[in-house]
Short mmCIF file of all heavy atoms in Angstrom, two decimals:
data_model
loop_
_atom_site.label_atom_id
_atom_site.label_comp_id
_atom_site.label_asym_id
_atom_site.label_seq_id
_atom_site.Cartn_x
_atom_site.Cartn_y
_atom_site.Cartn_z
N MET A 1 0.82 -1.15 -0.09
CA MET A 1 -0.03 0.01 -0.04
C MET A 1 0.89 1.24 0.00
O MET A 1 1.73 1.46 0.85
CB MET A 1 -0.90 0.04 1.27
CG MET A 1 -1.88 1.14 1.32
SD MET A 1 -3.13 0.68 2.52
CE MET A 1 -3.44 2.31 3.15
N LEU A 2 0.64 2.05 -1.00
CA LEU A 2 1.48 3.26 -1.07
C LEU A 2 0.90 4.38 -0.27
O LEU A 2 -0.24 4.68 -0.30
CB LEU A 2 1.59 3.68 -2.58
CG LEU A 2 2.52 2.81 -3.47
CD1 LEU A 2 2.30 3.23 -4.91
CD2 LEU A 2 3.91 2.89 -2.99
N THR A 3 1.69 4.95 0.44
CA THR A 3 1.34 6.18 1.21
C THR A 3 2.02 7.32 0.61
O THR A 3 3.12 7.22 0.19
CB THR A 3 1.58 5.97 2.68
OG1 THR A 3 2.97 5.62 2.85
CG2 THR A 3 0.71 4.89 3.34
N ALA A 4 1.36 8.45 0.68
CA ALA A 4 2.01 9.66 0.26
C ALA A 4 3.22 9.93 1.09
O ALA A 4 3.06 10.20 2.29
CB ALA A 4 0.97 10.77 0.21
N LYS A 5 4.28 9.99 0.47
CA LYS A 5 5.51 10.28 1.20
C LYS A 5 5.63 11.84 1.36
O LYS A 5 5.33 12.60 0.40
CB LYS A 5 6.72 9.77 0.44
CG LYS A 5 7.03 8.36 0.68
CD LYS A 5 8.32 8.01 0.04
CE LYS A 5 8.72 6.51 0.22
NZ LYS A 5 9.92 6.16 -0.49
N PRO A 6 6.17 12.17 2.48
CA PRO A 6 6.46 13.63 2.57
C PRO A 6 7.62 13.87 1.71
O PRO A 6 8.47 13.00 1.37
CB PRO A 6 6.85 13.84 4.04
CG PRO A 6 7.31 12.43 4.47
CD PRO A 6 6.39 11.43 3.72
N LYS A 7 7.64 15.09 1.18
CA LYS A 7 8.73 15.43 0.30
C LYS A 7 10.10 15.30 0.94
O LYS A 7 10.23 15.58 2.13
CB LYS A 7 8.58 16.83 -0.34
CG LYS A 7 8.69 17.92 0.69
CD LYS A 7 8.57 19.26 -0.01
CE LYS A 7 8.67 20.39 0.98
NZ LYS A 7 8.62 21.72 0.39
N PRO A 8 11.00 14.68 0.22
CA PRO A 8 12.28 14.57 0.83
C PRO A 8 12.92 15.79 1.36
O PRO A 8 12.75 16.90 0.78
CB PRO A 8 13.13 13.92 -0.36
CG PRO A 8 12.53 14.39 -1.55
CD PRO A 8 11.05 14.44 -1.24
N LYS A 9 13.63 15.62 2.46
CA LYS A 9 14.21 16.80 3.06
C LYS A 9 15.31 17.42 2.16
O LYS A 9 16.04 16.61 1.48
CB LYS A 9 14.86 16.39 4.37
CG LYS A 9 13.93 16.06 5.44
CD LYS A 9 14.41 16.42 6.84
CE LYS A 9 13.31 16.45 7.83
NZ LYS A 9 13.74 16.79 9.16
N ARG A 10 15.28 18.61 2.18
CA ARG A 10 16.28 19.24 1.36
C ARG A 10 17.65 19.40 2.08
O ARG A 10 17.67 19.32 3.32
CB ARG A 10 15.89 20.73 1.05
CG ARG A 10 14.67 20.74 0.19
CD ARG A 10 14.51 22.12 -0.35
NE ARG A 10 13.13 22.28 -0.64
CZ ARG A 10 12.60 23.56 -0.79
NH1 ARG A 10 13.39 24.59 -0.65
NH2 ARG A 10 11.40 23.72 -1.00
N ARG A 11 18.65 19.44 1.39
CA ARG A 11 19.94 19.50 1.96
C ARG A 11 20.60 20.86 1.59
O ARG A 11 20.36 21.46 0.54
CB ARG A 11 20.83 18.38 1.48
CG ARG A 11 20.25 17.02 1.93
CD ARG A 11 21.22 15.87 1.75
NE ARG A 11 20.73 14.77 2.58
CZ ARG A 11 21.01 14.51 3.91
NH1 ARG A 11 21.87 15.36 4.46
NH2 ARG A 11 20.51 13.47 4.42
N CYS A 12 21.48 21.26 2.47
CA CYS A 12 22.16 22.59 2.30
C CYS A 12 23.01 22.42 1.01
O CYS A 12 23.88 21.48 0.89
CB CYS A 12 22.95 22.82 3.51
SG CYS A 12 23.87 24.29 3.42
N PRO A 13 22.86 23.40 0.16
CA PRO A 13 23.78 23.30 -1.02
C PRO A 13 25.20 23.48 -0.65
O PRO A 13 26.14 23.23 -1.42
CB PRO A 13 23.24 24.54 -1.88
CG PRO A 13 21.85 24.85 -1.32
CD PRO A 13 21.93 24.46 0.08
N ASP A 14 25.49 24.13 0.43
CA ASP A 14 26.83 24.41 0.86
C ASP A 14 27.50 23.20 1.44
O ASP A 14 28.61 22.86 1.12
CB ASP A 14 26.95 25.61 1.81
CG ASP A 14 26.83 26.93 1.03
OD1 ASP A 14 26.81 26.87 -0.23
OD2 ASP A 14 26.68 27.93 1.65
N CYS A 15 26.88 22.66 2.52
CA CYS A 15 27.50 21.64 3.31
C CYS A 15 26.72 20.30 3.25
O CYS A 15 27.10 19.45 3.93
CB CYS A 15 27.67 22.11 4.71
SG CYS A 15 26.20 22.33 5.59
N THR A 16 25.67 20.29 2.53
CA THR A 16 24.79 19.10 2.31
C THR A 16 24.19 18.61 3.61
O THR A 16 23.77 17.47 3.71
CB THR A 16 25.58 17.96 1.64
OG1 THR A 16 26.61 17.44 2.58
CG2 THR A 16 26.28 18.41 0.37
N GLU A 17 24.22 19.39 4.61
CA GLU A 17 23.49 19.04 5.82
C GLU A 17 21.95 19.09 5.63
O GLU A 17 21.53 19.94 4.84
CB GLU A 17 23.83 20.02 6.96
CG GLU A 17 23.38 19.58 8.33
CD GLU A 17 24.34 18.49 8.93
OE1 GLU A 17 25.47 18.34 8.42
OE2 GLU A 17 23.88 17.84 9.82
N ALA A 18 21.21 18.25 6.26
CA ALA A 18 19.76 18.29 6.11
C ALA A 18 19.26 19.59 6.66
O ALA A 18 19.61 19.98 7.81
CB ALA A 18 19.09 17.10 6.83
N LEU A 19 18.40 20.28 5.89
CA LEU A 19 17.93 21.49 6.35
C LEU A 19 16.72 21.37 7.31
O LEU A 19 15.91 20.35 7.23
CB LEU A 19 17.47 22.36 5.12
CG LEU A 19 18.45 22.76 4.17
CD1 LEU A 19 17.91 23.35 2.91
CD2 LEU A 19 19.54 23.66 4.81
N LEU A 20 16.60 22.29 8.22
CA LEU A 20 15.53 22.26 9.13
C LEU A 20 14.43 23.26 8.63
O LEU A 20 14.80 24.36 8.34
CB LEU A 20 15.95 22.65 10.57
CG LEU A 20 16.98 21.76 11.17
CD1 LEU A 20 17.40 22.37 12.49
CD2 LEU A 20 16.30 20.41 11.49
N GLU A 21 13.21 22.79 8.53
CA GLU A 21 12.24 23.65 8.13
C GLU A 21 11.67 24.43 9.37
O GLU A 21 11.50 23.85 10.41
CB GLU A 21 10.99 22.96 7.50
CG GLU A 21 11.33 22.41 6.17
CD GLU A 21 10.07 21.84 5.39
OE1 GLU A 21 9.10 21.73 6.20
OE2 GLU A 21 10.15 21.72 4.24
N THR A 22 11.44 25.68 9.27
CA THR A 22 10.98 26.48 10.23
C THR A 22 10.10 27.57 9.71
O THR A 22 10.15 27.87 8.43
CB THR A 22 12.10 27.02 11.13
OG1 THR A 22 11.46 27.69 12.23
CG2 THR A 22 12.91 28.05 10.38
N ASP A 23 9.31 28.21 10.53
CA ASP A 23 8.50 29.26 10.05
C ASP A 23 8.94 30.54 10.47
O ASP A 23 9.28 30.83 11.70
CB ASP A 23 7.01 29.03 10.56
CG ASP A 23 6.33 27.86 9.95
OD1 ASP A 23 6.62 27.68 8.69
OD2 ASP A 23 5.57 27.18 10.64
N TYR A 24 9.13 31.46 9.57
CA TYR A 24 9.45 32.77 9.87
C TYR A 24 8.41 33.68 9.43
O TYR A 24 8.15 33.78 8.22
CB TYR A 24 10.89 33.11 9.24
CG TYR A 24 11.23 34.61 9.53
CD1 TYR A 24 11.82 34.94 10.74
CD2 TYR A 24 11.12 35.53 8.59
CE1 TYR A 24 12.21 36.16 11.06
CE2 TYR A 24 11.42 36.83 8.84
CZ TYR A 24 11.98 37.14 10.07
OH TYR A 24 12.37 38.46 10.33
N ARG A 25 7.74 34.35 10.28
CA ARG A 25 6.65 35.22 9.94
C ARG A 25 5.61 34.51 8.95
O ARG A 25 5.28 34.96 7.93
CB ARG A 25 7.09 36.51 9.23
CG ARG A 25 7.90 37.38 10.21
CD ARG A 25 8.43 38.55 9.41
NE ARG A 25 9.35 39.38 10.16
CZ ARG A 25 8.92 40.42 10.92
NH1 ARG A 25 7.69 40.70 10.96
NH2 ARG A 25 9.80 41.08 11.64
N GLN A 26 5.29 33.28 9.38
CA GLN A 26 4.35 32.44 8.63
C GLN A 26 4.84 32.10 7.23
O GLN A 26 4.05 31.75 6.39
CB GLN A 26 3.01 33.11 8.56
CG GLN A 26 2.46 33.37 9.99
CD GLN A 26 1.15 34.29 9.91
OE1 GLN A 26 0.96 34.94 8.91
NE2 GLN A 26 0.47 34.26 11.02
N VAL A 27 6.12 32.24 7.04
CA VAL A 27 6.74 31.83 5.71
C VAL A 27 7.63 30.67 6.06
O VAL A 27 8.49 30.76 6.99
CB VAL A 27 7.44 32.93 5.07
CG1 VAL A 27 8.12 32.41 3.77
CG2 VAL A 27 6.56 34.13 4.82
N ARG A 28 7.46 29.57 5.34
CA ARG A 28 8.30 28.39 5.59
C ARG A 28 9.54 28.62 4.98
O ARG A 28 9.72 28.86 3.74
CB ARG A 28 7.63 27.13 4.95
CG ARG A 28 8.34 25.86 5.08
CD ARG A 28 8.58 25.50 6.54
NE ARG A 28 7.32 25.49 7.32
CZ ARG A 28 6.59 24.51 7.44
NH1 ARG A 28 6.87 23.31 6.90
NH2 ARG A 28 5.43 24.63 8.19
N ILE A 29 10.64 28.49 5.85
CA ILE A 29 12.00 28.69 5.32
C ILE A 29 12.85 27.44 5.77
O ILE A 29 12.47 26.67 6.71
CB ILE A 29 12.69 29.99 5.85
CG1 ILE A 29 12.73 29.98 7.39
CG2 ILE A 29 11.89 31.17 5.33
CD1 ILE A 29 13.53 31.15 7.90
N ASP A 30 13.94 27.24 5.13
CA ASP A 30 14.81 26.12 5.43
C ASP A 30 16.08 26.76 6.08
O ASP A 30 16.75 27.66 5.48
CB ASP A 30 15.10 25.30 4.20
CG ASP A 30 13.85 24.68 3.68
OD1 ASP A 30 13.12 24.05 4.44
OD2 ASP A 30 13.57 24.86 2.49
N ILE A 31 16.46 26.17 7.12
CA ILE A 31 17.68 26.64 7.88
C ILE A 31 18.67 25.46 7.95
O ILE A 31 18.25 24.39 8.31
CB ILE A 31 17.37 27.26 9.27
CG1 ILE A 31 16.57 28.49 9.07
CG2 ILE A 31 18.61 27.46 10.02
CD1 ILE A 31 16.15 29.11 10.40
N CYS A 32 19.91 25.79 7.71
CA CYS A 32 20.95 24.75 7.85
C CYS A 32 21.45 24.87 9.26
O CYS A 32 21.96 25.87 9.65
CB CYS A 32 22.07 24.98 6.86
SG CYS A 32 23.40 23.84 7.06
N PRO A 33 21.34 23.71 10.01
CA PRO A 33 21.87 23.83 11.34
C PRO A 33 23.36 23.86 11.44
O PRO A 33 23.92 24.07 12.50
CB PRO A 33 21.27 22.54 11.98
CG PRO A 33 21.10 21.69 10.82
CD PRO A 33 20.78 22.49 9.67
N HIS A 34 23.96 23.49 10.36
CA HIS A 34 25.42 23.35 10.37
C HIS A 34 26.12 24.70 10.05
O HIS A 34 26.90 25.18 10.78
CB HIS A 34 25.82 22.35 9.34
CG HIS A 34 27.33 22.07 9.32
ND1 HIS A 34 27.94 21.40 10.38
CD2 HIS A 34 28.29 22.48 8.45
CE1 HIS A 34 29.24 21.34 10.00
NE2 HIS A 34 29.50 21.99 8.94
N CYS A 35 25.71 25.35 8.95
CA CYS A 35 26.31 26.58 8.61
C CYS A 35 25.47 27.83 8.80
O CYS A 35 25.83 28.90 8.45
CB CYS A 35 26.85 26.55 7.17
SG CYS A 35 25.59 26.48 5.99
N GLN A 36 24.32 27.57 9.29
CA GLN A 36 23.35 28.59 9.64
C GLN A 36 22.87 29.35 8.42
O GLN A 36 22.40 30.46 8.47
CB GLN A 36 24.01 29.67 10.62
CG GLN A 36 24.54 29.09 11.91
CD GLN A 36 23.54 28.41 12.71
OE1 GLN A 36 22.54 28.87 12.96
NE2 GLN A 36 23.91 27.20 13.14
N GLY A 37 23.01 28.64 7.29
CA GLY A 37 22.45 29.23 6.08
C GLY A 37 21.01 29.20 6.10
O GLY A 37 20.37 28.27 6.67
N VAL A 38 20.38 30.11 5.38
CA VAL A 38 18.87 30.16 5.29
C VAL A 38 18.52 30.11 3.91
O VAL A 38 19.06 30.86 3.06
CB VAL A 38 18.30 31.45 5.93
CG1 VAL A 38 16.84 31.52 5.70
CG2 VAL A 38 18.67 31.59 7.32
N TRP A 39 17.67 29.21 3.55
CA TRP A 39 17.30 28.93 2.12
C TRP A 39 15.82 29.23 1.90
O TRP A 39 15.05 28.69 2.67
CB TRP A 39 17.62 27.50 1.74
CG TRP A 39 19.20 27.29 2.05
CD1 TRP A 39 19.53 26.61 3.12
CD2 TRP A 39 20.28 27.70 1.38
NE1 TRP A 39 20.94 26.63 3.19
CE2 TRP A 39 21.34 27.30 2.03
CE3 TRP A 39 20.42 28.42 0.11
CZ2 TRP A 39 22.64 27.54 1.64
CZ3 TRP A 39 21.80 28.69 -0.29
CH2 TRP A 39 22.87 28.19 0.47
N LEU A 40 15.52 29.94 0.92
CA LEU A 40 14.21 30.34 0.58
C LEU A 40 13.77 29.85 -0.69
O LEU A 40 14.49 29.78 -1.68
CB LEU A 40 14.07 31.85 0.65
CG LEU A 40 14.45 32.54 1.96
CD1 LEU A 40 14.56 34.05 1.67
CD2 LEU A 40 13.50 32.21 3.01
N ASP A 41 12.43 29.44 -0.80
CA ASP A 41 11.91 29.08 -2.08
C ASP A 41 11.57 30.40 -2.83
O ASP A 41 11.67 31.54 -2.28
CB ASP A 41 10.61 28.35 -1.92
CG ASP A 41 10.95 26.89 -1.52
OD1 ASP A 41 12.05 26.35 -1.86
OD2 ASP A 41 10.04 26.18 -0.97
N ARG A 42 11.28 30.16 -4.05
CA ARG A 42 10.92 31.34 -4.90
C ARG A 42 9.69 31.96 -4.31
O ARG A 42 8.68 31.26 -4.00
CB ARG A 42 10.63 30.81 -6.27
CG ARG A 42 10.25 31.92 -7.26
CD ARG A 42 9.89 31.27 -8.58
NE ARG A 42 9.46 32.28 -9.55
CZ ARG A 42 10.24 32.99 -10.33
NH1 ARG A 42 11.57 32.80 -10.21
NH2 ARG A 42 9.76 33.87 -11.13
N GLY A 43 9.78 33.28 -4.11
CA GLY A 43 8.62 34.01 -3.56
C GLY A 43 8.66 34.15 -2.13
O GLY A 43 7.95 34.98 -1.56
N GLU A 44 9.48 33.30 -1.42
CA GLU A 44 9.43 33.35 -0.04
C GLU A 44 10.13 34.61 0.55
O GLU A 44 9.64 35.24 1.45
CB GLU A 44 10.08 32.10 0.65
CG GLU A 44 9.17 30.91 0.57
CD GLU A 44 9.79 29.69 1.06
OE1 GLU A 44 11.00 29.63 1.20
OE2 GLU A 44 9.01 28.68 1.30
N LEU A 45 11.13 34.96 -0.18
CA LEU A 45 11.87 36.16 0.26
C LEU A 45 10.88 37.42 0.11
O LEU A 45 10.89 38.28 0.99
CB LEU A 45 13.10 36.35 -0.62
CG LEU A 45 13.86 37.58 -0.35
CD1 LEU A 45 14.40 37.60 1.11
CD2 LEU A 45 15.03 37.75 -1.24
N GLU A 46 10.19 37.35 -1.02
CA GLU A 46 9.30 38.51 -1.16
C GLU A 46 8.19 38.54 -0.12
O GLU A 46 7.84 39.58 0.32
CB GLU A 46 8.55 38.36 -2.58
CG GLU A 46 9.50 38.63 -3.74
CD GLU A 46 9.09 37.97 -5.01
OE1 GLU A 46 8.08 37.27 -4.92
OE2 GLU A 46 9.73 38.24 -6.04
N GLN A 47 7.69 37.36 0.29
CA GLN A 47 6.74 37.30 1.34
C GLN A 47 7.30 37.85 2.63
O GLN A 47 6.64 38.68 3.33
CB GLN A 47 6.27 35.94 1.58
CG GLN A 47 5.34 35.31 0.55
CD GLN A 47 4.90 33.94 0.84
OE1 GLN A 47 4.34 33.72 1.91
NE2 GLN A 47 5.16 32.94 0.01
N ILE A 48 8.49 37.52 2.94
CA ILE A 48 9.11 38.02 4.23
C ILE A 48 9.34 39.50 4.09
O ILE A 48 9.06 40.22 5.08
CB ILE A 48 10.49 37.22 4.48
CG1 ILE A 48 10.06 35.83 4.81
CG2 ILE A 48 11.21 37.95 5.50
CD1 ILE A 48 11.27 34.89 5.00
N VAL A 49 9.83 39.94 2.94
CA VAL A 49 10.10 41.32 2.81
C VAL A 49 8.84 42.16 2.91
O VAL A 49 8.71 43.19 3.59
CB VAL A 49 10.77 41.62 1.47
CG1 VAL A 49 10.95 43.16 1.19
CG2 VAL A 49 12.23 41.02 1.50
N GLU A 50 7.78 41.66 2.24
CA GLU A 50 6.49 42.36 2.26
C GLU A 50 5.90 42.44 3.72
O GLU A 50 5.41 43.43 4.13
CB GLU A 50 5.50 41.63 1.39
CG GLU A 50 5.57 42.09 0.00
CD GLU A 50 4.66 41.33 -0.95
OE1 GLU A 50 3.67 40.87 -0.41
OE2 GLU A 50 4.82 41.31 -2.18
N GLN A 51 6.07 41.36 4.33
CA GLN A 51 5.57 41.34 5.78
C GLN A 51 6.42 42.24 6.61
O GLN A 51 5.94 42.92 7.54
CB GLN A 51 5.53 39.91 6.28
CG GLN A 51 4.52 39.09 5.69
CD GLN A 51 4.34 37.69 6.37
OE1 GLN A 51 4.49 37.62 7.57
NE2 GLN A 51 4.08 36.69 5.59
N ALA A 52 7.67 42.26 6.34
CA ALA A 52 8.60 43.10 7.14
C ALA A 52 8.17 44.50 6.91
O ALA A 52 8.26 45.34 7.84
CB ALA A 52 10.06 42.79 6.80
N LEU A 53 7.91 44.82 5.67
CA LEU A 53 7.56 46.21 5.30
C LEU A 53 6.16 46.64 5.74
O LEU A 53 5.93 47.78 6.26
CB LEU A 53 7.74 46.43 3.84
CG LEU A 53 9.20 46.41 3.31
CD1 LEU A 53 9.20 46.54 1.83
CD2 LEU A 53 10.05 47.42 3.97
N PHE A 54 5.19 45.74 5.43
CA PHE A 54 3.81 46.12 5.58
C PHE A 54 3.13 45.39 6.64
O PHE A 54 2.06 45.86 7.17
CB PHE A 54 3.08 46.02 4.27
CG PHE A 54 3.78 46.67 3.12
CD1 PHE A 54 4.35 45.90 2.10
CD2 PHE A 54 3.87 48.05 3.05
CE1 PHE A 54 4.99 46.56 1.07
CE2 PHE A 54 4.54 48.66 1.96
CZ PHE A 54 5.04 47.83 1.00
N GLY A 55 3.60 44.22 7.02
CA GLY A 55 2.86 43.41 7.95
C GLY A 55 2.95 43.89 9.36
O GLY A 55 1.97 43.77 10.12
N VAL A 56 4.02 44.42 9.69
CA VAL A 56 4.27 44.86 11.03
C VAL A 56 4.23 46.44 11.06
O VAL A 56 5.11 47.06 10.59
CB VAL A 56 5.66 44.40 11.52
CG1 VAL A 56 5.81 44.90 13.01
CG2 VAL A 56 5.79 42.91 11.50
N MET A 57 3.13 46.83 11.46
CA MET A 57 2.87 48.31 11.48
C MET A 57 3.61 48.86 12.66
O MET A 57 3.53 48.33 13.79
CB MET A 57 1.42 48.65 11.58
CG MET A 57 0.62 48.11 10.41
SD MET A 57 1.04 48.91 8.85
CE MET A 57 0.17 50.43 9.06
N PRO A 58 4.45 49.82 12.45
CA PRO A 58 5.04 50.53 13.52
C PRO A 58 3.99 51.11 14.48
O PRO A 58 3.16 51.89 14.04
CB PRO A 58 5.87 51.65 12.89
CG PRO A 58 5.36 51.83 11.57
CD PRO A 58 4.70 50.53 11.17
N ARG A 59 4.02 50.65 15.61
CA ARG A 59 2.95 50.98 16.55
C ARG A 59 3.11 52.41 17.08
O ARG A 59 4.16 52.71 17.72
CB ARG A 59 2.88 50.06 17.68
CG ARG A 59 1.68 50.29 18.60
CD ARG A 59 1.36 48.98 19.31
NE ARG A 59 0.87 47.96 18.30
CZ ARG A 59 0.14 46.94 18.65
NH1 ARG A 59 -0.09 46.76 19.90
NH2 ARG A 59 -0.07 46.00 17.75
N ALA A 60 2.33 53.23 16.71
CA ALA A 60 2.48 54.63 17.12
C ALA A 60 1.91 54.71 18.58
O ALA A 60 0.84 54.21 18.87
CB ALA A 60 1.59 55.52 16.20
N HIS A 61 2.86 55.32 19.36
CA HIS A 61 2.38 55.55 20.67
C HIS A 61 1.80 56.91 20.84
O HIS A 61 2.48 57.94 20.87
CB HIS A 61 3.58 55.43 21.66
CG HIS A 61 4.12 54.00 21.69
ND1 HIS A 61 3.49 52.99 22.48
CD2 HIS A 61 5.21 53.45 21.15
CE1 HIS A 61 4.17 51.89 22.23
NE2 HIS A 61 5.24 52.10 21.46
N PRO A 62 0.51 56.97 20.92
CA PRO A 62 -0.09 58.22 21.05
C PRO A 62 0.26 58.90 22.37
O PRO A 62 0.10 58.29 23.40
CB PRO A 62 -1.65 57.92 21.00
CG PRO A 62 -1.71 56.47 21.33
CD PRO A 62 -0.51 55.80 21.02
N ARG A 63 0.75 60.06 22.20
CA ARG A 63 1.20 60.77 23.42
C ARG A 63 0.02 61.22 24.18
O ARG A 63 -0.88 61.85 23.57
CB ARG A 63 2.00 61.90 23.05
CG ARG A 63 2.96 62.37 24.15
CD ARG A 63 3.67 63.62 23.76
NE ARG A 63 4.58 63.34 22.59
CZ ARG A 63 5.08 64.45 21.96
NH1 ARG A 63 4.93 65.56 22.25
NH2 ARG A 63 5.95 64.13 20.96
N PRO A 64 -0.12 60.90 25.34
CA PRO A 64 -1.26 61.32 26.15
C PRO A 64 -1.26 62.88 26.23
O PRO A 64 -0.30 63.49 26.82
CB PRO A 64 -1.04 60.71 27.53
CG PRO A 64 0.41 60.36 27.57
CD PRO A 64 0.88 60.11 26.20
N SER A 65 -2.23 63.39 25.55
CA SER A 65 -2.23 64.86 25.53
C SER A 65 -2.96 65.31 26.73
O SER A 65 -4.18 65.72 26.69
CB SER A 65 -2.85 65.36 24.22
OG SER A 65 -4.17 64.79 24.12
N ARG A 66 -2.30 65.31 27.77
CA ARG A 66 -2.93 65.70 29.05
C ARG A 66 -2.39 67.12 29.39
O ARG A 66 -1.44 67.33 30.16
CB ARG A 66 -2.64 64.76 30.16
CG ARG A 66 -3.88 64.18 30.76
CD ARG A 66 -3.65 63.01 31.59
NE ARG A 66 -3.44 63.33 32.99
CZ ARG A 66 -2.95 62.57 33.85
NH1 ARG A 66 -2.56 61.37 33.59
NH2 ARG A 66 -2.80 62.90 35.14
N ARG A 67 -2.90 68.05 28.67
CA ARG A 67 -2.51 69.35 28.91
C ARG A 67 -3.10 69.96 30.21
O ARG A 67 -4.35 69.92 30.25
CB ARG A 67 -2.76 70.27 27.67
CG ARG A 67 -1.88 71.47 27.67
CD ARG A 67 -2.14 72.25 26.38
NE ARG A 67 -1.65 71.56 25.23
CZ ARG A 67 -1.80 71.98 24.02
NH1 ARG A 67 -2.56 72.97 23.74
NH2 ARG A 67 -1.27 71.35 22.96
N SER A 68 -2.39 70.36 31.07
CA SER A 68 -2.95 70.89 32.30
C SER A 68 -3.50 72.25 31.98
O SER A 68 -2.74 73.18 31.86
CB SER A 68 -1.86 70.91 33.39
OG SER A 68 -0.77 71.76 33.00
N THR A 69 -4.77 72.23 31.89
CA THR A 69 -5.41 73.54 31.66
C THR A 69 -5.62 74.29 32.94
O THR A 69 -6.01 73.76 33.86
CB THR A 69 -6.74 73.36 30.94
OG1 THR A 69 -7.57 72.46 31.76
CG2 THR A 69 -6.64 72.80 29.56
N PRO A 70 -5.16 75.50 32.86
CA PRO A 70 -5.39 76.22 34.07
C PRO A 70 -6.84 76.42 34.41
O PRO A 70 -7.65 76.88 33.46
CB PRO A 70 -4.72 77.62 33.69
CG PRO A 70 -4.68 77.68 32.25
CD PRO A 70 -4.61 76.20 31.80
N GLU A 71 -7.28 76.04 35.55
CA GLU A 71 -8.67 76.24 35.87
C GLU A 71 -8.97 77.51 36.43
O GLU A 71 -8.20 78.09 37.17
CB GLU A 71 -9.02 75.10 36.85
CG GLU A 71 -8.94 73.76 36.19
CD GLU A 71 -9.31 72.66 37.19
OE1 GLU A 71 -9.86 72.94 38.27
OE2 GLU A 71 -8.91 71.50 36.95
N GLY A 72 -10.10 77.94 36.04
CA GLY A 72 -10.60 79.21 36.65
C GLY A 72 -10.22 80.37 35.82
O GLY A 72 -9.39 80.90 35.35
ZN1 LIG B 101 24.91 24.38 5.45
#
């Protein structure tokens, strides 16, 4: 009985170490535990860049405008 095999693990092009899949900002990337290389599929870099640029909005800290108004 044939079962669907998971796709074979990729290996680092540099040191041929098996790559570890991990998620970075919901984008699946491959990291080499040996040489710390990070390998991206086509389009993944764009996804990460887009999320870095647009996904994380710089949180504006509204300054509490508590102006002490002189009473009276
Ligand atoms: Zn490597």
Side-chain angles (χ1 to χ4, degrees):
M1 185 165 145
L2 287 173
T3 52
K5 275 189 183 173
K7 64 178 181 179
K9 289 212 167 181
R10 293 195 210 161
R11 297 196 167 268
C12 179
D14 280 353
C15 64
T16 69
E17 192 77 18
L19 296 174
L20 296 174
E21 285 192 346
T22 186
D23 289 325
Y24 177 79
R25 295 178 186 269
Q26 298 170 345
V27 178
R28 180 59 53 89
I29 62 175
D30 297 310
I31 292 178
C32 175
H34 184 74
C35 68
Q36 308 299 313
V38 177
W39 307 98
L40 302 169
D41 282 339
R42 180 183 178 85
E44 286 179 340
L45 177 62
E46 288 157 355
Q47 285 182 55
I48 289 176
V49 170
E50 276 179 19
Q51 288 187 38
L53 290 178
F54 307 113
V56 181
M57 299 295 281
R59 188 154 295 197
H61 292 285
R63 201 184 298 168
S65 56
R66 238 166 95 193
R67 199 174 287 174
S68 57
T69 50
E71 291 179 18

